[in-house]
Amino acid sequence: MVSKVGCAMVTAMGATLLEVEADVSGGLPDIEMTGNLGSSVKDGRERIRVAIKKCGYPFPQGRVTINIAPAAMRKEGTGFDLAVACAILEEIGIIPEDKLKNRIVVGELGLDGAVIGVRGVLPVALEAKKRGYEGCVVPADNYSEALMVPGIEIIPVRHLSDLVDEQRKNSNECSDKNYFAQRVDSGSDLKKISPDYSDIHGQDYAKRAILTAVAGRHNILLMGPPGAGKTMLVSRIPTIMPGMSEAEQLELACIYSIAGKLGDRQDISVRPFRAPHHSITSAALVGGGRFVEPGEVSLASKGVLFLDELTRFDTRVIEQLREPLETGRIMINRVSGAYELAADFMLAAAMNPCACGFYPDRSRCRCTSWEVNRHYGRISRPILDRIDISIALQRVSFDELTGKVDLADKMRDAGAEKDRSHKKVSKKRECIDSSLMRTVVARVWQIQRQRLGDGRYNSGMTNDEIKQFCVLDAVSEKLVKDAYELYGLSARAYYKILKVARTLADIDGSGRVEQRHVLEALSYRVKDKGDEE
Amino acid sequence: MSRDIDERRERYAKCHMKEWHWLTNLPGFGYKKLSVLKNVFNDIGELYELEKNIGYDKADELLRHLFASADMALGEKERDAFFDRELREKLNMKYEKIMISDVNMVSRESGEYPERLRDIFDAPYILYYRGTLPESGRKTAAVVGARACSEYGRSMAKDIGKQLASYGVQVVSGFARGIDTASHNGSLSVEGGRTFAVFGCGINHCYPPENRFTYDEIIEKGGGIISEYPPDTKPMSGFFPMRNRIISGLSDIVIVVEAGNKSGSLITADHAVEQGRTVMALPGRVTDRLSVGCNGLIKQGAAIVSCMDDILFELGMSETQKNTPDINFSQIELAKPGKMLYSHLDFNPQSIDDLIHKSGMEQEEVTGWLVRLELSGMAKRVGGLYVRGK
């Protein structure tokens, strides 16, 4: 008789359910493993043998043959150990046959029989549910992530003997903490997250630009000298993004589970903020490797990918972003197969305007214009074309830094005759803390959802949609025409301006795109040829 | 075509071009050694045929004697080079190559040699050029300055170049990045603006390379590219200060637009003073690094550039010195907030936040008006910050 136990392999795309078959027959004591196995699967053989012995069960004295079906598929990973051990124990009658029937078993074994957590348990549980399995046996380490899938029994195990000895299992009870409950708790006190835009004094223009970028999910580029606050501004973007729906959270958690990084994210409801170092390789950025794994672009899905010091990145690595920036997906083609992963992120990039960082402040910058141009040249036009909003920062003044500006404004207000404009100034200063900005973003996202459909934003409008939703009056049309000619804009840049103008109108709550929106959109324009001599 | 070359060869032969080309290209023979030879041999042809005429031993002795009496040692290498027949053949081949190319030559013996340049004490013996040479009868001004210039310097250099060209003044500069290029471009922006670039390398090398369009345009518009080095000489840092004496030598006045503490433009100014040219400097803010050179020149007695008439006066083209600086904007009618914002712009790049703060206007208004000003050319965006456009 051959015993069979369900198991699963995890690839970058998700989980595939497989079956382990074990047979014990007469002959010299030996274990044979077949089924097109990678070395990481095959070397489980010794772990399994020792673990079974150490748990006090007799290892079958005879020829043990293990097959993982279907054999056509190449298998990699360590999650098969537990399933193979179970199949052997079932074959020799230690585990009752019906106990693991209709269940998927995943987990790695230690020599002492301890069950070690593996990657991708969440997609395994999802796939198992989809295929109508009753339950999943998972390592206790992965218990909480597996619980995110409703409607399927999850059996956590700490030790191989937990599966055999019910008594032992009960004494070793896993904490039945519900992952979703935990998330709801932490989601409600989002305010506890310490960074907030109110920490940053001054830079109101930059905050406005970031608000616009997040509201329309536009990619943004910040340029400025060192110490201007680029990193501070960008790292606070997640605090103004509204939360995710449960379906989005599950999709994102799957990617993290596959990458083995779910533990990194303490709170699954907060949108990801990935800031890879500029020494990153292209495989780490877009995904890849011999055994294909999701890269930073996928890990930043639904959130922000922040590339600090954009010009220091390898140019070839940056060029890889062309496709995901356009489509929100990344295609990884390898001999082992094609993997299409989500890469639906908002790009935020920061850079210095030149090598020394102070251009165009000629009292400090001594770079020649050739050097400045070469510095910009590290980022290709196609990448710049995919960035909708670009702003230049200056260091804030001391008064602004120390928050004394408000006081100065008030003093000016008291003595000033033209109080109309000053009232506006003090009004403007309110728009600086994260919760206020988040309310605006949530409202604008709602508008976009109604207009374009679920999960779509102004930045992703097609040309037809732009023609439909970004109708300009004659004066604005003329403005855009002038700008198009003066700056030598590309067609893509032209549509970009319309998209940003649409977002600005949405922030205003205006149904039509008005002239002031177009003007502001033009001021966020990415550096163009005409800017430098 | 071949007739043209024959005609040219004849013309060049009259002023001993081949001989000058040979002599100026001899390794080890610098300006001093050449002047020793020049003093003795009035006819360069005689020097060229020295060995043929009086034999090697006598010629050798003569040379030794000549240099010894001038307190100069003539090394083995130089003497070998002088008598090296192979080298002479090689140089003559090069000369023939230039002859069939579009590169022109003038020696000090030619009539086309610029009169102003002939007057200076270390005038180059030979000049290679494409296009034309500056006309001796027309007023000529040199506009020079820093390579890493500020936006203010760039726009002033461009403006000065443009205004000079519109008055029919020939503009000479050094084709370097920054101020030099801006002054060339300013001059080229006027119909019939003739401008001359003096290279520190051979004129077959466009250096800096990004100026190649300017290079072509200078020739198209009737100006010229000039160098004392053979056309294929590569750019070497040591050559560039030397060409500064030609820039000032070709001009009636030298205008320094922006210069740091140890700028090459100050070398040009020094040459100008030695050559008896008027030096003018554009004043800058005391606190700016790039003002140090210009303000220093003014302190030493250079004429100050406060308006276009100052320059015209020094050129002898204007009777009086007007005291009102040129105002060349105000043709464009602006609404009040635009005017107000424009008044806050200067040649120092400012961020939008600064401008919001200074003007007290709302952010939306500021960004809107900046774009409007930009579209009308009155503001300019540099590295994301804003400066005055006009």
Side-chain angles (χ1 to χ4, degrees):
Chain A
M1 196 205 78
V2 174
S3 66
K4 291 183 180 178
V5 172
C7 65
M9 184 173 83
V10 179
T11 64
M13 294 273 282
T16 316
L17 301 185
L18 310 167
E19 201 160 53
V20 177
E21 300 165 324
D23 170 70
V24 179
S25 50
L28 285 172
D30 187 19
I31 313 179
E32 183 67 35
M33 290 179 87
T34 61
N36 199 0
L37 307 180
S39 59
S40 56
V41 185
K42 260 189 181 165
D43 66 11
R45 181 165 67 172
E46 293 307 310
R47 290 197 293 270
I48 294 158
R49 193 172 57 79
V50 177
I52 289 178
K53 274 187 180 166
K54 291 287 176 193
C55 291
Y57 310 123
F59 196 82
Q61 292 296 310
R63 191 178 174 80
V64 179
T65 310
I66 308 287
N67 180 43
I68 303 180
M73 194 183 200
R74 180 81 178 163
K75 283 112 193 152
E76 293 280 357
T78 54
F80 299 99
D81 292 4
L82 188 60
V84 173
C86 288
I88 295 171
L89 292 177
E90 208 181 289
E91 177 70 7
I92 57 176
I94 289 174
I95 295 180
E97 203 180 312
D98 59 339
K99 185 166 172 138
L100 294 175
K101 203 177 170 196
N102 240 339
R103 290 194 164 80
I104 296 293
V105 181
V106 286
E108 184 187 326
L109 279 178
L111 290 185
D112 60 350
V115 178
I116 299 164
V118 293
R119 293 177 175 195
V121 168
L122 177 57
V124 170
L126 270 176
E127 185 70 13
K129 182 178 177 243
K130 208 167 110 191
R131 292 290 167 88
Y133 282 83
E134 279 171 21
C136 276
V137 178
V138 301
D141 295 347
N142 302 112
Y143 183 46
S144 50
E145 73 173 87
L147 277 180
M148 286 181 77
V149 185
I152 186 166
E153 185 197 3
I154 306 292
I155 307 156
V157 286
R158 280 189 191 285
H159 199 270
L160 181 57
S161 54
D162 291 357
L163 278 170
V164 185
D165 189 351
E166 288 295 325
Q167 212 100 52
R168 196 187 137 95
K169 192 202 167 223
N170 290 341
S171 67
N172 227 341
E173 193 61 58
C174 267
S175 55
D176 252 326
K177 246 204 276 172
N178 187 313
Y179 212 85
F180 268 103
Q182 189 188 358
R183 176 191 59 75
V184 171
D185 288 346
S186 48
S188 61
D189 51 29
L190 207 62
K191 280 180 204 124
K192 274 186 194 160
I193 302 167
S194 49
D196 191 287
Y197 274 109
S198 59
D199 304 344
I200 302 171
H201 296 287
Q203 306 289 26
D204 293 332
Y205 172 67
K207 285 183 200 170
R208 166 87 176 169
I210 285 177
L211 174 69
T212 313
V214 176
R217 275 288 289 266
H218 299 288
N219 300 319
I220 185 169
L221 172 68
L222 290 90
M223 279 191 295
K230 302 183 291 294
T231 311
M232 256 182 113
L233 280 163
V234 175
S235 61
R236 280 161 178 72
I237 289 180
T239 66
I240 62 167
M241 288 182 135
M244 289 180 285
S245 69
E246 293 205 344
E248 282 177 319
Q249 287 181 35
L250 202 61
E251 193 186 328
L252 189 67
C254 263
I255 297 171
Y256 274 79
S257 176
I258 290 167
K261 289 196 167 77
L262 203 55
D264 291 2
R265 287 174 52 66
Q266 290 154 347
D267 188 350
I268 198 70
S269 71
V270 174
R271 288 175 185 267
F273 179 80
R274 306 291 304 185
H277 185 251
H278 58 70
S279 61
I280 191 169
T281 62
S282 55
L285 185 66
V286 299
R290 198 178 61 83
F291 184 67
V292 176
E293 284 185 35
E296 291 290 340
V297 292
S298 304
L299 296 174
S301 259
K302 322 263 174 235
V304 181
L305 178 69
F306 176 37
L307 302 181
D308 203 355
E309 308 297 349
L310 184 65
T311 45
R312 310 301 335 159
F313 280 80
D314 186 345
T315 38
R316 274 178 307 177
V317 172
I318 298 291
E319 292 306 309
Q320 312 257 6
L321 290 178
R322 288 188 191 194
E323 185 199 342
L325 280 174
E326 197 82 336
T327 60
R329 320 275 310 161
I330 179 75
M331 195 78 179
I332 304 164
N333 293 87
R334 294 293 183 272
V335 177
S336 58
Y339 304 85
E340 195 186 2
L341 302 177
D344 177 23
F345 58 90
M346 169 186 156
L347 177 70
M351 63 183 268
N352 294 137
C354 69
C356 77
F358 291 104
Y359 182 83
D361 180 0
R362 277 305 192 186
S363 60
R364 302 173 105 187
C365 170
R366 298 189 131 193
C367 302
T368 63
S369 56
W370 180 74
E371 281 169 333
V372 174
N373 282 335
R374 191 182 55 171
H375 189 76
Y376 280 116
R378 292 184 63 87
I379 302 150
S380 70
R381 175 64 34 192
I383 293 292
L384 283 178
D385 262 351
R386 285 163 172 81
I387 294 174
D388 299 350
I389 295 181
S390 157
I391 52 165
L393 301 174
Q394 277 297 69
R395 289 189 319 149
V396 292
S397 69
F398 183 77
D399 281 347
E400 273 185 302
L401 187 69
T402 47
K404 282 181 188 150
V405 159
D406 292 319
L407 196 68
D409 273 339
K410 270 178 205 151
M411 282 164 71
R412 236 183 357 173
D413 260 341
E417 288 160 280
K418 299 178 233 161
D419 41 10
R420 188 184 59 90
S421 63
H422 291 299
K423 262 180 200 160
K424 280 183 181 171
V425 171
S426 42
K427 200 175 78 189
K428 178 193 71 189
R429 299 217 168 268
E430 289 165 13
C431 162
I432 47 169
D433 87 333
S434 288
S435 67
L436 203 77
M437 289 164 86
R438 192 167 59 239
T439 324
V440 175
V441 173
R443 181 167 53 78
V444 177
W445 282 14
Q446 182 61 32
I447 295 171
Q448 293 171 70
R449 194 171 303 130
Q450 279 163 8
R451 184 192 301 139
L452 302 165
D454 212 17
R456 294 195 57 209
Y457 302 93
N458 284 344
S459 60
M461 280 195 286
T462 63
N463 290 358
D464 283 343
E465 281 165 341
I466 292 171
K467 273 182 199 133
Q468 190 185 342
F469 299 119
C470 310
V471 185
L472 300 181
D473 56 46
V475 185
S476 316
E477 188 80 57
K478 169 91 171 49
L479 265 175
V480 180
K481 185 170 169 280
D482 287 350
Y484 187 83
E485 273 153 23
L486 182 73
Y487 307 138
L489 298 180
S490 66
R492 196 188 253 128
Y494 166 73
Y495 285 122
K496 245 163 43 177
I497 284 164
L498 294 184
K499 286 182 207 170
V500 176
R502 180 67 258 173
T503 304
L504 287 165
D506 289 341
I507 291 174
D508 255 9
S510 154
R512 286 180 62 90
V513 178
E514 287 168 28
Q515 196 183 345
R516 59 202 160 107
H517 303 133
V518 174
L519 282 170
E520 196 173 342
L522 279 169
S523 82
Y524 292 140
R525 170 184 104 253
V526 179
K527 176 198 172 297
D528 287 301
K529 268 261 156 71
D531 286 0
E532 249 63 51
E533 191 102 352
Chain B
M1 190 67 199
S2 71
R3 187 180 296 164
D4 284 355
I5 293 170
D6 287 344
E7 186 268 329
R8 204 168 142 185
R9 184 170 283 130
E10 208 171 294
R11 192 152 45 86
Y12 282 4
K14 268 183 204 156
C15 44
H16 297 110
M17 199 70 77
K18 187 164 85 174
E19 290 82 352
W20 278 118
H21 178 260
W22 164 72
L23 194 59
T24 49
N25 278 299
L26 279 182
F29 281 79
Y31 192 85
K32 276 184 186 163
K33 289 202 178 92
L34 290 189
S35 60
V36 169
L37 293 173
K38 178 95 190 3
N39 286 341
V40 177
F41 295 91
N42 265 331
D43 184 4
I44 178 86
E46 211 175 294
L47 181 65
Y48 187 77
E49 303 289 1
L50 192 65
E51 195 190 344
K52 206 168 153 192
N53 290 347
I54 59 174
Y56 175 80
D57 294 334
K58 266 193 177 171
D60 189 28
E61 201 176 315
L62 184 62
L63 279 185
R64 263 174 217 278
H65 176 72
L66 266 179
F67 282 99
S69 60
D71 269 349
M72 237 185 271
L74 188 68
E76 281 295 311
K77 269 188 193 162
E78 282 103 63
R79 218 184 53 238
D80 287 349
F82 187 89
F83 292 112
D84 190 344
R85 291 234 174 85
E86 234 170 80
L87 182 69
R88 190 176 285 203
E89 278 308 303
K90 239 190 215 164
L91 289 173
N92 284 346
M93 293 254 289
K94 271 191 189 162
Y95 174 75
E96 284 301 318
K97 238 174 101 183
I98 296 171
M99 198 66 106
I100 55 169
S101 73
D102 60 342
V103 176
N104 299 308
M105 288 185 272
V106 281
S107 76
R108 282 219 295 223
E109 292 177 33
S110 341
E112 306 98 82
Y113 195 86
E115 287 306 322
R116 287 186 206 94
L117 191 60
R118 206 192 286 275
D119 293 343
I120 73 171
F121 92 98
D122 52 356
Y125 292 102
I126 195 163
L127 284 178
Y128 305 86
Y129 67 96
R130 266 206 179 87
T132 61
L133 289 170
E135 276 175 41
S136 300
R138 273 172 83 173
K139 294 287 179 195
T140 311
V143 182
V144 294
R147 278 173 307 215
C149 61
S150 70
E151 209 43 49
Y152 168 70
R154 196 197 306 280
S155 76
M156 287 316 286
K158 205 166 175 181
D159 210 37
I160 290 172
K162 189 174 161 187
Q163 301 259 5
L164 284 173
S166 67
Y167 281 103
V169 178
Q170 308 177 112
V171 176
V172 178
S173 194
F175 206 66
R177 296 184 177 109
I179 299 290
D180 287 11
T181 302
S183 63
H184 285 306
N185 282 336
S187 162
L188 290 172
S189 65
V190 176
E191 194 65 39
R194 288 181 71 187
T195 177
F196 299 89
V198 182
F199 274 32
C201 56
I203 57 173
N204 283 349
H205 289 276
C206 177
Y207 182 85
E210 67 263 26
N211 280 1
R212 58 192 178 280
F213 298 113
T214 311
Y215 185 107
D216 293 341
E217 212 184 336
I218 287 175
I219 296 168
E220 264 167 42
K221 291 234 166 140
I225 311 287
I226 305 164
S227 173
E228 64 170 319
Y229 302 108
D232 288 320
T233 312
K234 287 196 175 119
M236 303 242 278
S237 57
F239 289 167
F240 284 78
M242 287 300 292
R243 57 101 200 248
N244 289 347
R245 75 178 200 284
I246 306 176
I247 296 177
S248 54
L250 285 171
S251 320
D252 296 310
I253 61 168
V254 172
I255 304 164
V256 183
V257 172
E258 217 170 30
N261 196 9
K262 285 178 186 166
S263 172
S265 318
L266 298 182
I267 302 176
T268 314
D270 282 346
H271 284 304
V273 172
E274 280 168 25
Q275 296 160 1
R277 312 288 194 244
T278 306
V279 177
M280 302 191 79
L282 186 81
R285 292 198 305 189
V286 175
T287 47
D288 284 1
R289 184 173 56 78
L290 285 164
S291 313
V292 177
C294 284
N295 291 353
L297 284 174
I298 294 169
K299 197 153 79 181
Q300 289 165 29
I304 193 164
V305 180
S306 65
C307 60
M308 202 51 214
D309 275 318
D310 287 347
I311 301 174
L312 295 178
F313 178 79
E314 291 295 343
L315 281 169
M317 295 171 76
S318 165
E319 302 291 303
T320 51
Q321 255 178 307
K322 265 198 280 177
N323 280 325
T324 44
D326 291 12
I327 301 168
N328 53 6
F329 39 89
S330 80
Q331 295 102 332
I332 302 162
E333 277 300 310
L334 283 176
K336 208 178 155 213
K339 261 185 193 157
M340 184 171 169
L341 193 62
Y342 182 69
S343 70
H344 286 290
L345 285 173
D346 54 31
F347 287 106
N348 231 22
Q350 295 180 84
S351 71
I352 290 182
D353 262 336
D354 288 345
L355 289 167
I356 292 168
H357 204 64
K358 274 192 187 169
S359 63
M361 286 156 70
E362 249 199 292
Q363 177 181 306
E364 206 178 66
E365 256 181 314
V366 171
T367 51
W369 275 106
L370 276 176
V371 173
R372 283 201 185 99
L373 287 173
E374 214 186 336
L375 289 176
S376 62
M378 298 177 72
K380 218 175 128 197
R381 201 162 85 150
V382 184
L385 308 181
Y386 286 86
V387 294
R388 210 167 248 234
K390 276 181 189 164

